[in-house]
Amino acid sequence: MLVNSSQRTQPLTTPVLKLEGLSKSYGKNVALSGIDLHVMPGNTVVVTGPSGCGKSTLLRCIVRLINPDSGRIIVAGEDVTELTYSDLLNVRRSIGFVFQRSNLIQRLTALENVALPLLAANVARNEAGCKAQEALERVGLVGNVVHRRPCELSGGECQRVAIARALAPEPCLMLWDEPTASLDPILVAEVLDVMEDLVKTGGTAMVIVTHEMRFALRAADWLILLNQGKITEQGIPMKVFNNPKSELGVRYCRLLDL
Ligand SMILES: Nc1ncnc2c1ncn2[C@@H]1O[C@H](COP(=O)(O)OP(=O)(O)OP(=O)(O)O)[C@@H](O)[C@H]1O
Ligand SMILES: [Mg+2]
């Protein structure tokens, strides 16, 4: 049985996420090939790379929205590749997922959207309301705004509600798939600030797919550059940017103008 971050009993040296030789092809198209990764508690890994290099496939394999062809996925000590469907649902509840679009339920308020996964996990209504309120506070949404529906919120506020919804169940791991990609530059900065704050104060392990390299430099413990399904560069962000080994790495460095 998996546990959330406040109930965690694993020793701190156990990785929250371990990928070993993860591979996935669609017909002849190799989306991922032999990916190895360790994410320790509280650590933030940024994954980047050109369109189609396998970033979303990687995140979706972790929660088995996509089944890998081979390799192992271990979340908080559990081999996700070997679980029955009901155990897999438990694993998914212990992982927060933030997508490019907020995917909020339009007829529910911000508060109700955030409380919903808690209620679905049989948390009592009062407690779910309190936890949802706390999660909304953590992303800077307080006051009457939490009683508005998504159509009455800005894009940045909607994305903050989506982040609060992922945070509220106190996940042991958060996966982010280009959470700022559909926002205008001002809202990008707003959401990146919220993310950076969570990285620094949260203690939750995170795997963040993003093209925001300055954010990676500030917030990530580890940077992975994917190219055609393989890890082409990895390391502490500043080291990767200071000494890229691949042509793609050099091109990504130029983006930063270091
Ligand atoms: N359901 C699918 N069926 C067939 N091919 C797929 C499927 N999903 C993804 N692919 C292919 O797998 C490769 C990796 O796709 P993926 O969505 O993981 O890339 P990505 O790095 O997330 O790209 P982007 O930056 O555009 O979001 C691509 O070549 C893509 O065309
Ligand atoms: Mg993608």
Side-chain angles (χ1 to χ4, degrees):
M1 171 68 86
L2 273 148
V3 293
N4 68 26
S5 58
S6 62
Q7 298 165 319
R8 193 184 296 125
T9 52
Q10 297 279 339
L12 282 180
T13 48
T14 305
V16 176
L17 173 67
K18 200 157 96 174
L19 303 179
E20 290 174 357
L22 191 68
S23 299
K24 172 73 187 174
S25 294
Y26 298 99
K28 286 186 180 158
N29 183 7
V30 179
L32 290 177
S33 174
I35 302 292
D36 295 321
L37 174 67
H38 280 202
V39 185
M40 301 306 287
N43 275 11
T44 295
V45 175
V46 162
V47 178
T48 194
S51 182
C53 71
K55 305 180 296 293
S56 297
T57 303
L58 177 71
L59 294 191
R60 286 167 183 271
C61 279
I62 292 170
V63 282
R64 278 189 47 204
L65 287 172
I66 294 172
N67 280 321
D69 298 331
S70 57
R72 290 190 347 133
I73 303 163
I74 296 159
V75 177
E78 291 262 15
D79 190 339
V80 172
T81 41
E82 289 179 354
L83 294 179
T84 61
Y85 186 67
S86 68
D87 286 339
L88 179 62
L89 290 183
N90 271 329
V91 173
R92 286 187 183 156
R93 283 195 197 107
S94 72
I95 297 176
F97 213 125
V98 183
F99 298 92
Q100 186 171 331
R101 297 194 178 277
S102 50
N103 298 323
L104 300 176
I105 297 174
Q106 295 298 317
R107 65 187 162 75
L108 299 182
T109 66
L111 187 65
E112 289 165 345
N113 264 285
V114 178
L116 194 64
L118 297 167
L119 295 171
N122 295 323
V123 175
R125 190 160 283 275
N126 276 352
E127 193 187 343
C130 290
K131 286 191 168 201
Q133 198 106 32
E134 276 169 29
L136 284 160
E137 268 172 41
R138 281 185 71 191
V139 299
L141 292 176
V142 288
N144 277 339
V145 71
V146 306
H147 300 299
R148 291 197 212 145
R149 294 191 167 77
C151 65
E152 299 161 328
L153 298 169
S154 72
E157 285 167 340
C158 283
Q159 197 56 320
R160 285 199 266 161
V161 175
I163 295 169
R165 180 180 54 185
L167 274 176
E170 298 175 58
C172 67
L173 173 68
M174 280 185 76
L175 306 175
W176 309 67
D177 196 354
E178 300 201 50
T180 58
S182 61
L183 302 174
D184 73 46
I186 303 288
L187 297 182
V188 167
E190 180 189 301
V191 172
L192 287 177
D193 281 349
V194 169
M195 290 168 64
E196 197 172 336
D197 199 41
L198 292 175
V199 165
K200 287 180 178 154
T201 60
T204 306
M206 306 212 186
V207 181
I208 304 175
V209 168
T210 181
H211 296 290
E212 299 289 340
M213 290 300 98
R214 293 204 168 273
F215 167 81
L217 211 50
R218 289 196 307 270
D221 299 297
W222 199 254
L223 177 70
I224 286 184
L225 178 58
L226 280 185
N227 192 19
Q228 298 180 340
K230 288 188 176 152
I231 296 179
T232 183
E233 305 263 354
Q234 65 174 323
I236 295 163
M238 193 44 112
K239 284 197 177 164
V240 171
F241 288 125
N242 277 335
N243 189 20
K245 293 177 177 52
S246 62
E247 197 185 318
L248 185 68
V250 171
R251 279 165 52 204
Y252 266 74
C253 287
R254 287 207 193 110
L255 290 178
L256 265 175
D257 204 18
L258 285 172

